[in-house]
Amino acid sequence: MKVNVGVRGSKLALAYCNKALEQLGFTEAKIVIVESTADLNPTASIEEMGGKGVFCKEIEDCLMERRINIAVHAFKDVTRDNDAFLEIPCVIKRNDYRDCLIGNHIDPKTIGTSSPRRIAQLKSLYPLSKIIPIRGNIDTRIKKQENGEYDAIVLAVAGVDELGYMDKITRVFETDEMMPAPGQGVIAVQVVKSQTVREHNMSDLLRSKSHKDTWYCAMAERYMLERIDGNCQTPIGSISNIKWGGMLTMEAQNWETGKRGFVRGPRENYKELGYELGSMLI
């Protein structure tokens, strides 16, 4: 099937896109690179650019305008702003969702990250370190650390692994040390909500190829964020797993309110479980 696939132009975004296309079996895909607000403003902070949607708004606009058939995103970057028009019928099996440190992992004077979630947890892990904002793709951030601008930087293991930089990791944070972001490690495939036969067939095809357990976990985390009206800049971490014959377990913490919660139930109740957990965190 011939499809136009929208994706950001970073090395990691393209690697995720190619991985998704390979697993989905799309051999005739045309990759359409779409520059995001974040890509066009590499030195501005996320807050300066407006916070939500800076990594995906332009790609979602292309979808709604039918300039592309599908979009590939890091799940944690996708907002809920266009849920009335777009959907995520498919995700790829979740990669390692932990965070890691590159650089001095013992007593770093400075640690580079702009994530409020990571900052909140680093204050306990490295109370003597100064946390300094950092922007840029993975290559840029690693180069800044190796040039001495930062003693250490925090990155997601999934991205580091995808680009072949695992040998640079000096510490992997277990989830009881640093709880990952909702949706971290998940590649999302997004489409418009069906209005034509072709769009309906595309949604059905993607849904049939989705990794079901990953989808249930990621969507439950998404609904948890919806309940608290959160986004990728909210200092909240979560962990979801499916065990015991389809039982979904979720744990999350909100450093904005200081609240923590845990829920468990059938994976088919992912929406209700997400809302229930979110209610515990407000």
Side-chain angles (χ1 to χ4, degrees):
M1 180 182 291
K2 292 182 179 180
V3 292
N4 292 331
V5 185
V7 65
R8 294 171 59 207
S10 73
K11 187 186 294 186
L12 180 59
L14 289 168
Y16 280 160
C17 182
N18 287 322
K19 181 175 185 176
L21 293 176
E22 181 180 354
Q23 293 194 27
L24 295 173
F26 289 145
T27 57
E28 297 183 71
K30 177 184 177 182
I31 294 177
V32 179
I33 295 175
V34 182
E35 290 187 298
S36 70
T37 299
D39 297 321
L40 294 170
N41 299 274
T43 61
S45 69
I46 303 299
E47 292 80 7
E48 289 173 333
M49 291 182 286
K52 293 196 304 177
V54 297
F55 295 105
C56 61
K57 179 184 181 300
E58 287 75 13
I59 299 176
E60 291 187 339
D61 287 345
C62 287
L63 265 180
M64 291 187 288
E65 293 164 6
R66 271 60 176 190
R67 286 189 279 153
I68 56 175
N69 306 114
I70 66 175
V72 177
H73 307 275
F75 192 99
K76 66 184 181 65
D77 291 337
V78 182
T79 71
R80 302 181 307 279
D81 293 347
N82 294 312
D83 281 358
F85 311 102
L86 306 176
E87 63 176 343
I88 300 173
C90 176
V91 296
I92 306 305
K93 184 178 179 180
R94 195 169 206 160
N95 297 316
D96 192 327
Y97 50 45
R98 295 174 297 174
D99 288 298
C100 66
L101 203 72
I102 290 178
N104 180 353
H105 67 286
I106 299 172
D107 56 353
K109 291 187 175 71
T110 58
I111 302 177
T113 182
S114 295
S115 161
R117 171 189 61 85
R118 288 171 176 161
I119 291 170
Q121 297 178 86
L122 285 169
K123 287 178 179 178
S124 297
L125 293 165
Y126 293 103
L128 300 181
S129 300
K130 183 178 181 181
I131 312 301
I132 302 177
I134 187 171
R135 276 288 320 280
N137 57 40
I138 287 181
D139 290 296
T140 299
R141 296 186 194 199
I142 291 176
K143 187 176 294 184
K144 287 181 177 181
Q145 188 280 318
E146 292 178 340
N147 288 343
E149 295 180 50
Y150 302 85
D151 279 356
I153 57 174
V154 183
L155 296 169
V157 171
V160 175
D161 185 24
E162 193 67 39
L163 294 183
Y165 294 142
M166 290 294 284
D167 60 316
K168 295 181 182 293
I169 293 176
T170 52
R171 177 177 181 177
V172 174
F173 297 108
E174 297 305 325
T175 55
D176 60 346
E177 298 175 311
M178 183 172 289
M179 194 176 286
Q184 187 157 305
V186 178
I187 300 172
V189 182
Q190 188 182 42
V191 297
V192 293
K193 289 187 174 179
S194 306
Q195 294 185 17
T196 66
V197 172
R198 176 181 169 82
E199 289 169 355
H200 179 76
N201 290 342
M202 176 63 74
S203 292
D204 281 353
L205 175 63
L206 291 171
R207 197 167 282 109
S208 71
K209 293 176 177 289
S210 181
H211 189 266
K212 296 298 187 291
D213 282 356
T214 297
W215 189 89
Y216 283 119
C217 286
M219 294 305 293
E221 293 170 18
R222 184 173 170 84
Y223 281 115
M224 178 268 293
L225 270 182
E226 180 178 314
R227 178 66 184 87
I228 66 171
D229 194 26
N231 56 60
C232 63
Q233 287 297 295
T234 304
I236 189 164
S238 67
I239 307 167
S240 301
N241 290 289
I242 294 178
K243 302 177 182 177
W244 305 301
M247 294 297 286
L248 170 62
T249 64
M250 297 182 69
E251 182 178 0
Q253 181 162 345
N254 185 349
W255 281 272
E256 205 167 69
T257 62
K259 295 187 177 180
R260 193 178 185 105
F262 175 86
V263 295
R264 176 185 296 156
R267 69 179 190 174
E268 291 78 12
N269 296 347
Y270 63 92
K271 184 174 183 178
E272 293 79 6
L273 291 168
Y275 279 158
E276 181 183 349
L277 182 58
S279 298
M280 297 177 183
L281 306 175
I282 299 173

